[in-house]
């Protein structure tokens, strides 16, 4: 149980285009989802926290208009990188937290990541 | 404020020898602590977690970690390394103070484990 998927697993796009990444909790409902960015050989950097049905909370230094996050349902959150540029190239990882009663309610389950390359 | 320090950016061991990955944390509260493993171009897999129960925590694949409050440490160990253990390992602390605001995880810088034949 507690499986999180991401789609696509990798994407290559031209500079100036927008890219949408989906994060789905497959076998549980996630009240909270998190989006991370990871540069090569570095740790994960939290970008934003999203709760279903409300606006995402962005970390300091993360551009809200650049990285649009939507958490429309308890099983789906999307990250849209708008007007992508080469410096946006990175590995993007989502996680989902059940947040309700149950054995793993406060644990985050991670997706497999999405490799974005902007040419 | 909470923080996590992984004392080694890279550890190299021979197959069959013990593994020790060191982690120290700073917390004003009773933290939850985790170790995650990440293989290249993959997501994170939970190895084990400490949540104020037994201080010696056993995880998957033969890994274990001991929570030592007096030393503010949560080192990860394994008696005998396997080639498949080669990966990046992250020590993570969860901030209980802001749990109700989303339960943020604070990541260490990561330790790359290499296993030589």
């Amino acid at each position: 149980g507690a499986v999180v998927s991401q789609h696509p697993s990798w994407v290559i796009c031209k500079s100036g285009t927008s890219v949408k990444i989906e994060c789905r909790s497959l076998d549980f409902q996630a009240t909270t989802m998190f989006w991370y960015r990871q540069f090569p050989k570095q740790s994960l950097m939290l970008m934003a926290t999203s709760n279903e049905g409300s606006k995402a909370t962005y970390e300091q230094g993360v551009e809200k208009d650049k990285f649009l996050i939507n958490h429309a349902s308890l099983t789906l959150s999307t990250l849209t990188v708008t007007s992508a540029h080469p410096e946006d190239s990175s590995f993007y990882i989502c996680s989902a937290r059940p947040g309700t009663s149950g054995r793993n309610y406060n644990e985050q389950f991670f997706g497999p990541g999405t490799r974005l390359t902007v040419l | 404020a909470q923080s996590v320090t992984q004392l080694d950016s890279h550890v190299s061991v021979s197959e069959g020898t013990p593994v020790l990955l060191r982690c120290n944390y700073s917390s004003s509260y009773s933290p939850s602590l985790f170790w995650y493993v990440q293989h290249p171009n993959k997501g994170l897999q939970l190895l084990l977690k400490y949540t104020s129960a037994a201080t010696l925590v056993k995880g998957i694949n033969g890994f274990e970690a001991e929570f030592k409050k007096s030393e503010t440490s949560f080192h990860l160990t394994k008696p005998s390394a396997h080639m498949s253990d080669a990966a990046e390992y992250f020590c993570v602390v969860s901030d209980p103070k802001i749990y109700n605001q989303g339960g943020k995880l604070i990541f260490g810088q990561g330790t790359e484990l290499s296993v030589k034949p």
Side-chain angles (χ1 to χ4, degrees):
Chain A
V3 179
V4 176
S5 70
Q6 281 185 241
H7 179 79
S9 55
W10 59 270
V11 56
I12 301 173
C13 69
K14 292 182 178 180
S15 186
T17 60
S18 294
V19 174
K20 180 185 284 188
I21 302 170
E22 292 186 350
C23 177
R24 293 182 185 270
S25 55
L26 299 184
D27 51 4
F28 67 98
Q29 292 186 326
T31 56
T32 307
M33 287 185 169
F34 303 83
W35 286 96
Y36 297 85
R37 182 173 181 176
Q38 186 180 32
F39 291 103
K41 300 292 185 180
Q42 294 189 26
S43 189
L44 278 69
M45 179 191 79
L46 179 65
M47 299 174 67
T49 303
S50 73
N51 291 291
E52 184 263 339
S54 61
K55 288 184 178 180
T57 301
Y58 289 80
E59 294 298 300
Q60 192 173 9
V62 178
E63 299 176 60
K64 301 178 184 180
D65 296 332
K66 175 75 170 176
F67 299 100
L68 300 179
I69 291 172
N70 183 278
H71 192 162
S73 77
L74 286 172
T75 60
L76 173 65
S77 176
T78 60
L79 167 68
T80 301
V81 183
T82 62
S83 186
H85 288 91
E87 57 265 30
D88 299 323
S89 298
S90 193
F91 194 52
Y92 291 88
I93 302 176
C94 74
S95 70
R97 177 170 158 263
T100 56
S101 61
R103 185 162 167 261
N104 297 318
Y105 75 102
N106 68 340
E107 186 174 329
Q108 289 187 30
F109 299 94
F110 287 83
T114 297
R115 172 75 58 192
L116 170 64
T117 302
V118 184
L119 302 177
Chain B
Q2 307 244 332
S3 66
V4 178
T5 302
Q6 290 183 242
L7 299 168
D8 306 293
S9 58
H10 185 254
V11 170
S12 181
V13 300
S14 297
E15 191 174 20
T17 63
V19 175
L20 170 63
L21 305 183
R22 299 182 294 165
C23 172
N24 285 100
Y25 69 92
S26 171
S27 173
S28 302
Y29 306 91
S30 297
S32 292
L33 292 158
F34 308 81
W35 275 99
Y36 286 89
V37 61
Q38 184 182 32
H39 289 90
N41 294 309
K42 299 290 185 183
L44 274 69
Q45 181 183 20
L46 179 66
L47 284 177
L48 49 81
K49 62 181 178 182
Y50 166 78
T51 54
S52 73
T55 56
L56 182 60
V57 182
K58 294 186 183 299
I60 62 172
N61 301 336
F63 285 95
E64 62 181 40
E66 186 172 5
F67 173 72
K68 292 186 176 181
K69 188 174 181 179
S70 60
E71 299 177 11
T72 61
S73 69
F74 190 58
H75 301 334
L76 181 71
T77 60
K78 183 173 180 177
S80 177
H82 192 272
M83 295 297 290
S84 61
D85 294 328
E88 188 83 15
Y89 291 79
F90 293 99
C91 182
V92 180
V93 63
S94 177
D95 188 337
K97 182 182 180 184
I98 58 173
Y99 167 75
N100 289 332
Q101 299 173 23
K104 286 184 184 180
L105 297 182
I106 299 165
F107 283 77
Q109 305 328 104
T111 298
E112 182 180 4
L113 176 65
S114 300
V115 182
K116 297 175 290 187

